[in-house]
Amino acid sequence: VIYPPHSKLTDKEKTNICYLSFPDSNSGCLGDTQFCFRFRRSSGRKVSLCCFLDQLDRDLPVYLKKDPAYYYGYVYFRQVRDKSLKRGYFQKSLVLISKLPYVHLFRTMLKQIAPEYFEKSEAFLEAVCSDVDRWPPPIPGKILHLPVTGIIMKLRIPTYRDKPGTTPIVQNMHQADAQISMALPTVHEVDLFRCFCPVFFHIQMLWELVLLGEPLVVMAPSPSESSETVLALVSCISPLKYCSDFRPYFTIHDSEFKEYTTRTQAPPSVILGVTNPFFAKTLQHWPHIIRIGDIKLPGEVPKQVKVKKLKNLKTLDSKPGVYTSYKPYLNKDEEIVKQLQKGVQQKRPTEAQSVILRRYFLELTESFIIPLERYVASLMPLQKCISPWKSPPQLRQFSQDDFMKTLEKAGPQLTSGLKGDWIGLYRHFLKSSNFDGWFRSRQKEMTQKLEALHLEALCNENLVFWSQKHTEVETVDLVLKLKNKLLQADREQLPVKTDTLKKLQTHINDIILALPDDLQDILLKTGTT
């Protein structure tokens, strides 16, 4: 069943959803299981260019921006014994498909609606959809109240202006409210400590592997463990965006199976979460494999575990651990391990452990990225180089050698006490898709800033005076260029003050009114649609 019925999915998308909505038979997931998957949108689809979500996307932190090429599937699967059925089991999945990566929000929502849906029927889904129709737009930074089946979820979507690592608290409503409300502490975060617990001693090495976009496989006993671990890995380099593909749950039926498991070329830069034992054989040529047992919160401190050699990974029965021959660039930070071990001994709540771990990853990522931010900011031309009568100047080229020279005085040592081969880590990172994605978005921001400064420079000129000294042809050319500038500012959402745009529009009108009537008529009609 697809709901709402008018939703359009291609046959390929339907097939992918069907296979990804159920655990592999070997997982033996009895009872209720929740997990998430991610799949490619079919290429024939029209992507709505000026979609409402795209405007909201601007205010999101980079790691929460939606990727137009992918959908997320959020699954609630139930498998219970039922003698009245031919197979002896009731097996059903309710799946929510969205472009938005708000894992915690949709997980919470499914927890509310799926059990009731299994008891009732499709009419119940209709009621849920009419609730969702009443939801306000997902505006970042606002406190949102989302009604669903008699309760109200209260949450806030982060914005790019939030200080990284801080989550403004959404308070629970007073009991005086007529409806039961539920305040969500986050829309997108997973329980980081629980996910990293099985590979506790290797968190820093895993951070390096994710940062460098290395091919990684997570082999887990069930889709919930594989999907949570993949999502935790992707989020560990936040506020950097992980720019390669990642699949929280991947099966042998996936349309990209051949592409990702071929041995004719090197494994792609992708993180896969798998549960089928077949993958132990198919992916044994991959350079980094994380093998996870059942995720349980440790009642005791995990024992020190060495990184295992890849040749020892022959089957999915192999012991949990990290199988790789990778040598980390940075020395191990013993302090974080001690801090988390102490937390385990003192029975510190897992939420508190996750906060410590998230802060550790954030500080590590920021120490790494600040020198790059500083160098890239220096590629911006000086404001005095911006002339209203010339095109905006270009950014200077990124030079790896020049950047490396800055590290001696302004490198990560200013904010991190970690020793090791930082230079080697940067060299490797500059070849990765994560650097490419980060640099492109910086380039775009800076180019837009230059366009905005150019617009302001134009506004501060006496354009009417200029037009009186030039021919009609040159004046008409200027008017058309200025109109294009205004359209571009709107289309690309340039960081320009509204007053500047109004001032420019006034300049245009004044120039047109100084021209002969026949030209006025033509120019007033041009560019207004």
Side-chain angles (χ1 to χ4, degrees), residues 296-312:
K296 295 187 191 76
L297 274 176
E300 59 201 52
V301 183
K303 309 277 186 294
Q304 175 73 48
V305 190
K306 282 199 172 73
V307 173
K308 298 175 170 61
K309 291 190 171 56
L310 276 164
K311 64 176 192 306
N312 296 344

Side-chain angles (χ1 to χ4, degrees), residues 3 16 81 140 157 197 202 233 243 251 266 268-269 296 315-316 341 397 404 413 417:
Y3 217 90
N16 272 334
R81 289 184 192 282
I157 296 166
C197 226
H202 312 302
L233 286 165
C243 295
T251 75
S269 169
K296 295 187 191 76
T315 64
L316 255 184
Q341 279 181 319
Q397 289 288 313
M404 292 299 177
Q413 70 277 9

Side-chain angles (χ1 to χ4, degrees), residues 152-163:
I152 289 181
M153 295 187 293
K154 195 177 171 192
L155 55 100
R156 178 186 180 277
I157 296 166
T159 82
Y160 72 90
R161 295 179 200 88
D162 294 351
K163 187 169 176 278

Side-chain angles (χ1 to χ4, degrees), residues 219 263 279-287 289 310 313-314:
M219 294 185 173
R263 285 173 180 249
F279 280 108
K281 193 162 175 275
T282 323
L283 299 177
Q284 65 189 30
H285 62 295
W286 276 46
I289 293 170
L310 276 164
L313 184 78
K314 285 286 172 279

Side-chain angles (χ1 to χ4, degrees), residues 309-361:
K309 291 190 171 56
L310 276 164
K311 64 176 192 306
N312 296 344
L313 184 78
K314 285 286 172 279
T315 64
L316 255 184
D317 304 335
S318 308
K319 288 199 169 69
V322 179
Y323 292 77
T324 178
S325 52
Y326 176 81
K327 295 278 177 289
Y329 286 97
L330 304 181
N331 301 348
K332 195 162 183 179
D333 186 341
E334 299 293 349
E335 202 45 52
I336 182 69
V337 175
K338 281 184 201 153
Q339 204 179 349
L340 291 171
Q341 279 181 319
K342 193 175 169 191
V344 173
Q345 287 161 342
Q346 294 173 346
K347 300 203 168 18
R348 190 187 289 145
T350 167
E351 295 83 8
Q353 294 277 74
S354 285
V355 168
I356 293 168
L357 193 49
R358 195 167 274 115
R359 191 185 310 128
Y360 160 76
F361 282 136

Side-chain angles (χ1 to χ4, degrees), residues 12 16 20 38-41 67 69-70 213-217 219 230 242-274 278-279 281-289 433:
K12 190 177 178 183
N16 272 334
L20 289 163
R38 186 171 177 262
F39 65 103
R40 244 180 232 174
R41 297 180 69 181
D67 186 330
Y70 290 90
E214 284 286 308
L216 261 170
V217 187
M219 294 185 173
V230 170
Y242 178 78
C243 295
S244 297
D245 190 8
F246 59 95
R247 302 301 177 90
Y249 175 50
F250 189 74
T251 75
I252 55 174
H253 304 287
D254 200 286
S255 49
E256 278 79 61
F257 175 72
K258 278 197 177 74
E259 178 189 333
Y260 283 167
T261 56
T262 175
R263 285 173 180 249
T264 53
Q265 59 206 53
S269 169
V270 56
I271 303 179
L272 297 182
V274 303
F278 181 70
F279 280 108
K281 193 162 175 275
T282 323
L283 299 177
Q284 65 189 30
H285 62 295
W286 276 46
H288 322 287
I289 293 170
S433 54

Side-chain angles (χ1 to χ4, degrees), residues 177-191:
D177 283 343
Q179 282 184 298
I180 307 157
S181 76
M182 180 191 286
L184 271 60
T186 171
V187 288
H188 66 285
E189 288 169 353
V190 291
D191 188 339

